[in-house]
Amino acid sequence: MTCRDQNRSEKSNCKMAPLPPGSSPSAPPGRNGAPSSPLEELMRRKGIDEAWDALEEMQREGHFVDRFTVSRMLMKTVGDGRTRWTPAKVYRGIALVEQFIQQQPEEADEVLFNALLDTCCRMKDIGRLETSMKRMRELKIYPSHVTLGILVKAYGQGGDVSRVLKVWNEMAEQRRHANAVTYGCMIDACVKCGHLQKAVEIFQDMKAHKRHRNTILYTMLIKGHGLEKNLS
């Protein structure tokens, strides 16, 4: 058997037949981080590129794929700090995830969309991010405080303070469930946009409501004061 035949055989083994009515479509990963699907096993042994190839073939043939695996594949594509991102590979992953949502909308959830939004944020692709948010609303998938953090981070790194404030004000329900990470995204976005007054206001609000404030938040404010001093 040639290497090409072997790879084709392994990808073929990833194919899953459509599930019978009433059965559970997917399951979270097992204990001890064990792969929960053949695609994850392929990703572990052969790498993320082989896994995307297999997913693409499965989509062409109409096979079921679970959202947990797809989310982890996308996060793996941009989350491996040992390698430098290749934009073409990242955008291929984004496109295949969008195709997954198109083919299996019932499988899409907030976690999958957050992975997609975070990837668009890392690529600084605001247009793609907003398209994903529109699709999320169309599917009536409720955003979380994690979604809020991603959005303010994306607009903040683009220096768009009006959108940062608009999203923060509109997503009041998500703010109520926000943790230090979400607040950190907002404070950092305000600092990057040169809106230190709002950053301090948010920090004071956290203090008033006895929310956890870590050293990272204090560092962000110190950085903001330093930037403001240098500009004055």
Side-chain angles (χ1 to χ4, degrees):
M1 178 181 291
T2 65
C3 291
R4 180 176 297 178
D5 290 336
Q6 183 177 350
N7 286 340
R8 187 179 295 116
S9 175
E10 287 172 343
K11 291 175 187 178
S12 178
N13 289 335
C14 288
K15 298 174 185 176
M16 305 175 195
L19 294 180
S23 61
S24 177
S26 55
R31 293 184 179 181
N32 301 321
S36 60
S37 75
L39 264 178
E40 284 198 87
E41 177 65 15
L42 181 64
M43 178 171 62
R44 184 184 67 81
R45 291 189 295 107
K46 293 290 187 177
I48 187 63
D49 291 340
E50 289 283 345
W52 286 123
D53 288 344
L55 174 61
E56 190 170 21
E57 186 176 348
M58 293 167 72
Q59 288 179 332
R60 282 198 301 267
E61 298 183 4
H63 291 287
F64 174 84
V65 185
D66 72 271
R67 62 181 176 267
F68 302 104
T69 299
V70 176
S71 296
R72 285 191 286 267
M73 285 172 61
L74 189 56
M75 290 186 284
K76 173 69 174 176
T77 301
V78 296
D80 190 348
R82 295 170 299 177
T83 59
R84 185 175 178 83
W85 298 341
T86 303
K89 291 183 179 182
V90 175
Y91 275 109
R92 183 197 182 199
I94 290 174
L96 287 172
V97 173
E98 290 171 341
Q99 180 67 20
F100 169 82
I101 294 170
Q102 181 68 28
Q103 291 183 343
Q104 297 178 214
E106 72 285 350
E107 267 294 288
D109 66 356
E110 174 253 335
V111 175
L112 177 62
F113 268 102
N114 282 344
L116 185 57
L117 293 169
D118 184 63
T119 303
C120 293
C121 174
R122 289 170 184 249
M123 299 303 291
K124 300 183 179 179
D125 191 335
I126 297 298
R128 203 75 171 256
L129 177 138
E130 293 183 336
T131 298
S132 298
M133 273 302 299
K134 180 181 177 183
R135 183 60 173 151
M136 191 176 184
R137 287 191 291 268
E138 290 172 349
L139 293 176
K140 295 180 171 56
I141 295 174
Y142 194 71
S144 68
H145 66 277
V146 176
T147 314
L148 172 59
I150 294 169
L151 293 177
V152 296
K153 179 180 178 181
Y155 290 130
Q157 67 187 8
D160 193 338
V161 68
S162 63
R163 284 186 173 179
V164 169
L165 297 177
K166 183 173 184 290
V167 168
W168 187 255
N169 292 331
E170 287 179 348
M171 299 179 72
E173 178 63 27
Q174 287 75 16
R175 287 205 317 269
R176 281 195 283 271
H177 299 283
N179 56 19
V181 175
T182 305
Y183 274 99
C185 289
M186 181 57 182
I187 290 173
D188 187 54
C190 292
V191 169
K192 286 180 177 176
C193 291
H195 204 318
L196 181 61
Q197 181 180 349
K198 184 64 177 180
V200 173
E201 177 187 319
I202 291 168
F203 185 84
Q204 293 298 339
D205 181 70
M206 291 182 71
K207 187 176 181 180
H209 289 86
K210 294 181 169 53
R211 292 183 178 272
H212 174 66
R213 302 174 305 284
N214 56 33
T215 55
I216 296 174
L217 299 181
Y218 285 96
T219 302
M220 288 176 182
L221 290 177
I222 292 170
K223 175 185 173 184
H225 281 290
L227 290 173
E228 188 175 69
K229 183 177 180 181
N230 289 337
L231 291 173
S232 61

